[in-house]
Amino acid sequence: MFIYLSKKIAIPNNNQLRCVSWNKDQGFIACGGEDGLLKVLKLETQTDDTRLKGLAAPSNLSMNQTLEGHSGAVQVVTWNEQYQKLTTSDQNGLIIVWMLYKGSWYEEMINNRNKSVVRSMSWNADGQKICIVYEDGAVIVGSVDGNRIWGKELKGLQLTQVAWSPDSKILIFGMANGEIHIYDSQGNFIVKLVLQCLANVTGAVSIVGIHWYSGTEGYVEPDCPCLAICLDNGRCQIMRHEHDENAVLIDTGINVVGIQWNYCGSVLAVAGSQVSVGQDKQINVVQFYTPFGEHLRTLKVSGKQMYAVSWEGGGLRIALAVDSFIYFANIRPDYKWGYCSNTVVYAYTRPDRLEYCVVFWDTKNNEKYVKYVRSLISITTCGDFCILATKADDSSPQDESEMESIVAMYVLVLCNSIGTPLDSKYIDIDPLFIAMTKTHVIVASKEAFYIWQYRVAKKLTAMEINQVARTRKEGRERIYHVDDESSVAGDSTVDFSKTLSTTKDAICCITASDKILIVGRESGKIQKYSLPNVSLLQKYLFNYRSYQLSLNSNSSRLAIIDIAGVLTFFDLETRTVDSTGQQVVGEQLKFERKDVWDMKWANDNPDLFAMMEKTRMYVFRNLDPEEPIQTSGYICSFENLEIKSVLLDEVLKEPSQPNKDYIINFEIRSLRDSRSLIETVGIEDACAFIEENPHPRLWRLLAEAALQRLDLKTAEQAFVRCKDYQGIEFVKRLGNLQSESMKQAEVAAYFGRFEEAERMYLNMDRRDLAIDLRIKLGDWFRVLQLLKTGSGDADDALLEQAYNAIGDYFADRQKWMNAVQYYVQGRNQERLAECYYMLEDYEGLEKLANALPENNKLLPDIAHMFVTVGMCEQAVAAFLKCNQAKAAVETCIHLNQWNKAVELAKNHNMKEIGSLLAKYASHLLEKNKTLEAIELYRKAHHFLDAAKLMFKIAEEEAKKRTKPLRVKKLYVLAALLVEDYHEQIKNTQRAKLKGRRSEVLHIKKADV
């Protein structure tokens, strides 16, 4: 994050301020001070320009009301956002509750104990209760309507601070002697808290700040510290809950006066003062920390004494009470975000989920894809892809090789621009800094850096393929310790134990291009390595610590933003001779800008870059600035002389509904000037200007302007200069046309003015060209309209094509009824069958099958459709119509229509009839339908099999001792079946004998 002072408001009569509090919901600022001073202010922005949103918009005081009622110095002010109330207290113990009525604040309630002074007041999370603590140990808990709920005297204790837990079940009291006592919401003592941050501390200390983040905007991690307790000596501890024995301990090194979390609990501001180095005077500072104790920034503020600090509701500004002024500082947060392939990727926390919500917002189509990621650390993008760095889940699967070694603690997930994971890698190196190129991901901890050559299914240039192939031979993963100067390409082992070796000079930032890797260290040293074969090329030493590094498009210059926000440049290729006669590679350029928090090199020009300085964007060409643009956007990309930026502050106010208005495109001066010259002066002067400031985008602009004027010669030259082969071909095609109006129509189509082009074609009576244009655009509705309305006969084949294309349009959207109408007219029987099937219109499908000629290739498909829904008769009819009797029989078997199967097999003299009968009979016997099986065998003239089954039934009936007459009849029937079998055998033998006799006679006749 980056922070800078932006505004100062003076209090009249030089009244010293004692407290300040910013209403998080409505934006009111209350400040109190000496002589009963109490003011309510409100800063509001008034602008209609979408570019001037957020911090860049001018802000004015829309409210500046002085509240009268206190006589002593106002020491405590606190807001109740839920009920729009302000509670204040002065040095005499007088408490006043103020309410908002018709745009102004009025006194609602008043209370005075007349015994002691109020040291702290705190409303609970839902605004129903307030706890007031007095210096003499008195505690009062009251309701929002002014009723006293309970009171208590903590004798012998001098209270200084109070805070509610997020669930309103616990009260935490801070004492002047440095103790913390915990009570329940009814005032019953629970426990005295042990402050781990006071270990090895001697002397008197006092609690000056307690703030328990309520979790209303979610947490940055599932088990995130949120209870901050700070003492006047600068010691601070941040706890996950009131019983946390493993608190985060911080020694801020300042005399603290106040602390406060930002709106989402991701940054803790600690305000106070410290003795400046080499001087005896105190300087006011605000230190910023993460919930895990990592120091983010230090803000120095002029003045004698700072008394209070308060965050704005959105976390983008803080207010500081210093002497008789309110200072405002703007915050530029380090959002978790990136930009790849027209997609803004950003992450935010939600109170209803433990994971981060990662949104992939396609700014071109205004579509978004959401992905939930647990313990997200950072988002890094390059080209069309992004890397999500997360902490490893214990349940996450890992590669076998990784399982054998140290259990990986972190995961790198490679995603495309819609959030689909393409590859992942488990690592055991803390991903504090990540850089990404087209082929590699470089991850650095404080001690080491790890290089992973990722794989994606994407076409690469010949040079990139060669680079990837060389690296693949050496291994896709490598790791190097930052102090190991012997690191060369041959060292390709992945030994994460290297990360365990500490270093005195930690890594603080990295950047990389396809050619080189730059590693910045805390001492100011910068190391340059070659890529993809990693070897240390050069070391440079600067007298400042780098915070952000960036390489230009040809890796010749390095931009450095240090921790103070100063931007400088270093030329990596300049060779000079120093005072000793040694040749030195690299030179510090004479350029410096302060309060810079972001910068981006142009992708296509090594001398162009854009930078953000406070709320202004500057564009530089060869270190010469253009006029600034007022904006607070984060720079997404800089190419084709256009800068795309996103107003992330505005996007994250309502992150689930991003607005395209928050994407802003800025044209740089040369592009604006060229366009102005073309419009106002003419093509020739514009061409001369572009010759002096050449760029493919400018030549394209000239080519398009020349096309509009049908200046084909200039257009062709400009297309050649910007290497647009399609443009050159288009100009040549225009040159072959004789008609001027035809040329104008073609140009209109080229620029996407299709309605105008179509109108021109029709005016020239060239309906065919208008139709061709609409066919190219895929606008088949208009094609059909043109075919029907035009004079003369329409092409039947084209009509059918149009009908079928419109049918496809409706079918793709599953509007089957509409599709049927067009497929019928387009005579597309195949798609028509599919639509009938999807509509479950089997009658229509049957009519279609009956209408088809025999052996049509569509009949088997229709038959299979009938099979899937169990319509045996229709399926058989379709199979028989295309002479697939075997498939028809198999269908009958599949649908248990055995009678039909046997009948079909007999009618078509199929050899498999015996096996079919056996299958059907076994099927009937399984269902205990023995008589039906006998009847099947009898009809098929398998009398012996039928007789066997009949004898079996007779025997079973005899064992059951049923009526003798019934058993007798069964035996007789079985015997008759045997007789039929004998008769069948005799007839077969007679037929064979007759056949032999006829053969003999035939042979004799032949001999004669």
Side-chain angles (χ1 to χ4, degrees):
M1 63 174 280
F2 183 73
I3 183 167
Y4 59 90
L5 292 169
S6 59
K7 195 180 189 75
K8 181 170 78 169
I9 295 177
I11 302 300
N13 304 321
N14 288 328
N15 280 343
Q16 296 289 309
L17 291 174
R18 294 292 181 85
C19 51
V20 66
S21 182
W22 206 323
N23 186 309
K24 304 296 183 288
D25 292 344
Q26 290 86 32
F28 299 109
I29 304 165
C31 58
E34 293 179 349
D35 300 328
L37 169 74
L38 180 60
K39 275 184 166 291
V40 176
L41 314 171
K42 190 171 186 181
L43 287 171
E44 283 192 328
T45 57
Q46 296 171 341
T47 177
D48 296 326
D49 189 349
T50 54
R51 298 183 181 189
L52 293 180
K53 285 189 176 291
L55 299 179
S59 59
N60 299 307
L61 280 174
S62 63
M63 176 179 278
N64 184 4
Q65 184 183 352
T66 302
L67 307 186
E68 296 180 356
H70 289 286
S71 56
V74 177
Q75 295 179 328
V76 184
V77 290
T78 182
W79 288 101
N80 183 338
E81 280 100 348
Q82 287 78 3
Y83 290 91
Q84 289 194 1
K85 292 181 187 292
L86 171 65
T87 312
T88 61
S89 176
D90 62 25
Q91 68 184 34
N92 301 320
L94 177 65
I95 300 171
I96 302 178
V97 178
W98 310 83
M99 69 173 195
L100 183 65
Y101 179 70
K102 291 186 177 180
S104 296
W105 293 92
Y106 296 94
E107 187 180 292
E108 182 186 24
M109 288 180 276
I110 191 166
N111 180 41
N112 196 347
R113 265 181 81 231
N114 293 319
K115 284 186 179 181
S116 181
V117 61
V118 174
R119 283 299 173 200
S120 181
M121 296 184 289
S122 177
W123 288 96
N124 68 345
D126 60 8
Q128 293 280 355
K129 297 177 186 176
I130 186 171
C131 183
I132 304 166
V133 296
Y134 290 82
E135 193 175 48
D136 64 357
V139 178
I140 296 174
V141 173
S143 66
V144 68
D145 53 11
N147 295 321
R148 181 180 175 130
I149 298 173
W150 59 265
K152 197 177 187 72
E153 294 277 347
L154 305 181
K155 293 182 179 178
L157 296 174
Q158 189 177 343
L159 297 173
T160 60
Q161 294 290 323
V162 64
W164 289 91
S165 64
D167 59 6
S168 303
K169 292 181 180 179
I170 291 173
L171 278 165
I172 295 187
F173 298 116
M175 315 294 174
N177 62 1
E179 292 183 358
I180 294 286
H181 290 193
I182 299 177
Y183 285 73
D184 67 15
S185 60
Q186 301 304 314
N188 301 311
F189 178 75
I190 298 176
V191 71
K192 177 183 171 183
L193 194 68
V194 177
L195 291 178
Q196 303 161 34
C197 62
L198 287 180
N200 304 321
V201 172
T202 56
V205 290
S206 177
I207 303 293
V208 292
I210 303 173
H211 193 187
W212 201 333
Y213 167 59
S214 60
T216 51
E217 296 294 329
Y219 295 91
V220 293
E221 278 203 17
D223 191 24
C224 183
C226 53
L227 169 57
I229 299 169
C230 200
L231 294 100
D232 58 358
N233 66 350
R235 295 297 180 98
C236 183
Q237 77 178 43
I238 311 176
M239 309 168 72
R240 291 161 183 83
H241 46 79
E242 69 275 15
H243 302 300
D244 188 4
E245 295 180 357
N246 190 25
V248 175
L249 307 179
I250 305 170
D251 185 359
T252 62
I254 63 176
N255 298 316
V256 180
V257 296
I259 64 170
Q260 195 176 52
W261 287 110
N262 68 343
Y263 77 109
C264 62
S266 62
V267 180
L268 178 69
V270 182
S273 60
Q274 66 182 16
V275 178
S276 61
V277 179
Q279 299 178 20
D280 293 333
K281 67 175 184 178
Q282 295 273 339
I283 56 170
N284 300 312
V285 294
V286 185
Q287 305 274 27
F288 295 88
Y289 296 91
T290 68
F292 303 96
E294 180 190 347
H295 181 254
L296 296 173
R297 285 280 170 176
T298 299
L299 174 68
K300 294 181 180 179
V301 186
S302 60
K304 292 180 181 178
Q305 175 68 50
M306 185 187 297
Y307 282 97
V309 58
S310 185
W311 285 89
E312 181 197 25
L316 298 177
R317 288 186 290 187
I318 58 167
L320 306 167
V322 182
D323 300 336
S324 58
F325 300 95
I326 301 177
Y327 284 87
F328 293 92
N330 288 354
I331 314 285
R332 305 314 295 134
D334 283 335
Y335 293 118
K336 291 177 170 62
W337 82 286
Y339 180 80
C340 59
S341 185
N342 292 315
T343 300
V344 176
V345 187
Y346 60 91
Y348 67 98
T349 55
R350 287 172 44 169
D352 59 333
R353 296 194 73 119
L354 292 174
E355 307 98 330
Y356 270 90
C357 181
V358 182
V359 179
F360 292 78
W361 175 30
D362 182 345
T363 57
K364 192 173 183 180
N365 303 315
N366 203 24
E367 295 177 348
K368 64 184 179 70
Y369 308 89
V370 178
K371 186 182 183 72
Y372 290 98
V373 180
R374 195 178 178 90
S375 300
L376 179 72
I377 297 170
S378 65
I379 295 172
T380 311
T381 54
C382 179
D384 298 334
F385 306 99
C386 78
I387 286 285
L388 305 181
T390 71
K391 286 188 177 178
D393 192 353
D394 294 338
S395 59
S396 300
Q398 299 181 21
D399 295 344
E400 289 180 12
S401 60
E402 289 165 344
M403 290 295 289
E404 289 170 5
S405 60
I406 307 168
V407 177
M409 295 173 64
Y410 304 96
V411 192
L412 302 177
V413 182
L414 177 72
C415 297
N416 61 12
S417 59
I418 60 171
T420 305
L422 304 174
D423 201 354
S424 64
K425 188 60 64 179
Y426 286 83
I427 59 173
D428 197 46
I429 181 171
D430 191 358
L432 297 176
F433 315 101
I434 301 180
M436 190 176 179
T437 70
K438 290 180 182 178
T439 52
H440 291 81
V441 174
I442 300 97
V443 179
S445 65
K446 289 184 177 180
E447 302 84 15
F449 58 92
Y450 160 87
I451 299 176
W452 168 38
Q453 179 225 324
Y454 61 88
R455 292 174 181 169
V456 289
K458 187 176 183 296
K459 291 179 180 177
L460 300 173
T461 65
M463 185 180 293
E464 287 167 345
I465 289 169
N466 188 32
Q467 177 178 313
V468 170
R470 284 206 315 273
T471 315
R472 193 165 292 159
K473 291 174 186 175
E474 299 155 11
R476 291 181 62 216
E477 299 173 73
R478 287 162 291 164
I479 191 164
Y480 303 96
H481 194 276
V482 72
D483 291 333
D484 185 4
E485 297 184 8
S486 63
S487 298
V488 292
D491 182 12
S492 59
T493 57
V494 182
D495 182 9
F496 282 109
S497 62
K498 290 182 179 181
T499 62
L500 302 176
S501 305
T502 57
T503 178
K504 293 180 181 178
D505 188 7
I507 296 173
C508 60
C509 52
I510 63 170
T511 189
S513 67
D514 294 337
K515 299 177 184 176
I516 59 173
L517 164 66
I518 303 290
V519 177
R521 306 181 72 172
E522 289 182 353
S523 65
K525 185 186 292 183
I526 283 181
Q527 295 176 193
K528 175 182 171 185
Y529 297 85
S530 63
L531 279 179
N533 301 321
V534 180
S535 58
L536 183 61
L537 301 177
Q538 205 80 31
K539 285 183 181 181
Y540 309 101
L541 186 62
F542 301 95
N543 57 359
Y544 47 78
R545 177 179 163 185
S546 305
Y547 177 73
Q548 181 181 326
L549 302 173
S550 183
L551 285 162
N552 65 352
S553 58
N554 63 2
S555 304
S556 62
R557 283 184 178 177
L558 175 68
I560 306 167
I561 302 177
D562 68 13
I563 55 170
V566 177
L567 172 66
T568 54
F569 289 90
F570 188 77
D571 194 311
L572 296 167
E573 294 183 349
T574 302
R575 297 179 182 273
T576 57
V577 178
D578 63 9
S579 56
T580 61
Q582 295 282 330
Q583 190 181 55
V584 179
V585 178
E587 180 187 19
Q588 181 88 38
L589 300 181
K590 293 178 180 178
F591 178 93
E592 185 176 290
R593 301 289 293 207
K594 294 181 179 178
D595 291 324
V596 177
W597 52 272
D598 192 16
M599 75 85 58
K600 180 78 73 175
W601 288 100
N603 291 350
D604 45 16
N605 189 327
D607 297 325
L608 270 177
F609 69 90
M611 56 161 250
M612 295 300 305
E613 182 181 290
K614 293 188 176 180
T615 54
R616 293 183 298 275
M617 179 192 288
Y618 288 89
V619 177
F620 286 79
R621 182 191 293 271
N622 289 323
L623 305 183
D624 295 325
E626 295 182 4
E627 66 276 6
I629 303 162
Q630 199 76 11
T631 180
S632 61
Y634 286 71
I635 303 171
C636 296
S637 64
F638 187 2
E639 58 185 342
N640 288 328
L641 306 182
E642 267 193 312
I643 301 163
K644 179 178 281 191
S645 81
V646 57
L647 299 174
L648 273 177
D649 301 332
E650 303 303 312
V651 169
L652 287 164
K653 284 180 182 176
E654 207 171 335
S656 59
Q657 298 295 329
N659 190 331
K660 280 192 85 170
D661 291 341
Y662 299 149
I663 296 291
I664 303 173
N665 291 307
F666 300 99
E667 293 183 345
I668 76 165
R669 188 168 61 197
S670 58
L671 182 56
R672 296 196 305 270
D673 291 350
S674 299
R675 184 173 280 116
S676 177
L677 281 171
I678 289 167
E679 291 172 357
T680 57
V681 180
I683 296 279
E684 291 182 7
D685 290 331
C687 188
F689 175 78
I690 295 170
E691 284 280 2
E692 294 174 7
N693 302 276
H695 191 279
R697 175 66 190 276
L698 298 181
W699 287 116
R700 181 178 299 280
L701 185 69
L702 181 67
E704 290 173 354
L707 273 181
Q708 297 276 23
R709 293 168 170 77
L710 294 181
D711 182 353
L712 301 186
K713 184 179 179 182
T714 305
E716 185 175 10
Q717 289 173 352
F719 277 130
V720 168
R721 295 294 292 269
C722 65
K723 300 177 183 177
D724 185 345
Y725 180 73
Q726 285 81 7
I728 298 167
E729 288 291 307
F730 178 70
V731 171
K732 285 183 177 178
R733 189 155 54 85
L734 282 183
N736 295 330
L737 298 175
Q738 302 301 318
S739 167
E740 287 293 309
S741 53
M742 184 75 77
K743 289 179 182 178
Q744 289 172 354
E746 288 288 331
V747 169
Y750 179 82
F751 287 113
R753 302 195 303 270
F754 304 117
E755 300 293 333
E756 183 185 334
E758 182 189 303
R759 193 164 53 250
M760 289 179 176
Y761 286 138
L762 294 175
N763 290 339
M764 289 184 284
D765 199 22
R766 292 300 303 270
R767 186 167 61 111
D768 57 325
L769 294 178
I771 290 170
D772 287 342
L773 173 66
R774 291 297 174 181
I775 290 174
K776 287 175 186 174
L777 295 173
D779 186 358
W780 290 99
F781 290 95
R782 183 63 183 153
V783 169
L784 188 60
Q785 201 175 355
L786 288 168
L787 286 169
K788 286 182 175 179
T789 55
S791 57
D793 294 331
D795 185 349
D796 288 344
L798 197 55
L799 259 176
E800 282 189 12
Q801 187 183 355
Y803 282 127
N804 287 324
I806 295 172
D808 291 340
Y809 170 85
F810 285 118
D812 290 343
R813 287 153 182 79
Q814 298 187 0
K815 296 181 178 179
W816 308 109
M817 285 292 290
N818 297 6
V820 163
Q821 298 171 18
Y822 287 98
Y823 284 140
V824 167
Q825 294 179 82
R827 293 187 283 192
N828 191 336
Q829 295 160 333
E830 187 175 344
R831 293 307 300 271
L832 193 58
E834 184 184 336
C835 289
Y836 282 141
Y837 181 66
M838 297 305 292
L839 286 167
E840 299 181 8
D841 182 3
Y842 303 117
E843 189 178 339
L845 195 60
E846 188 177 0
K847 286 180 182 176
L848 178 63
N850 294 335
L852 290 172
E854 289 187 1
N855 293 322
N856 188 285
K857 64 177 183 179
L858 188 57
L859 283 168
D861 295 334
I862 293 175
H864 284 301
M865 290 178 188
F866 283 128
V867 171
T868 57
V869 292
M871 297 177 70
C872 182
E873 188 177 337
Q874 291 84 348
V876 166
F879 276 128
L880 292 179
K881 197 168 183 179
C882 60
N883 291 324
Q884 293 190 18
K886 187 176 179 182
V889 171
E890 288 173 354
T891 296
C892 293
I893 294 169
H894 178 67
L895 298 174
N896 289 329
Q897 300 293 322
W898 293 93
N899 260 337
K900 187 78 174 171
V902 171
E903 186 182 336
L904 284 170
K906 282 178 66 179
N907 292 343
H908 291 84
N909 298 318
M910 294 177 67
K911 295 178 182 178
E912 297 90 350
I913 190 164
S915 60
L916 277 177
L917 278 169
K919 283 182 183 178
Y920 186 24
S922 62
H923 168 73
L924 292 171
L925 291 171
E926 282 174 9
K927 296 186 175 182
N928 289 325
K929 295 181 178 179
T930 313
L931 291 174
E932 286 87 337
I934 292 168
E935 183 65 14
L936 171 71
Y937 278 133
R938 195 181 68 77
K939 283 183 178 178
H941 300 291
H942 285 229
F943 299 114
L944 189 60
D945 293 322
K948 287 177 182 176
L949 288 176
M950 190 60 80
F951 276 121
K952 188 177 179 182
I953 292 173
E955 286 172 2
E956 287 175 357
E957 291 294 317
K959 288 177 183 176
K960 292 178 185 176
R961 297 185 177 278
T962 52
K963 293 179 182 180
L965 183 62
R966 176 179 170 78
V967 177
K968 180 182 176 183
K969 286 179 179 179
L970 290 170
Y971 275 118
V972 169
L973 284 171
L976 287 171
L977 287 168
V978 173
E979 283 294 318
D980 288 340
Y981 172 69
H982 288 152
E983 190 65 32
Q984 185 187 26
I985 294 296
K986 287 176 184 176
N987 290 336
T988 306
Q989 288 175 347
R990 283 180 195 147
K992 285 181 180 177
L993 187 61
K994 193 175 179 181
R996 284 176 187 168
R997 282 177 183 170
S998 61
E999 278 181 29
V1000 170
L1001 288 171
H1002 183 70
I1003 291 167
K1004 285 181 179 179
K1005 285 179 182 178
D1007 291 341
V1008 172

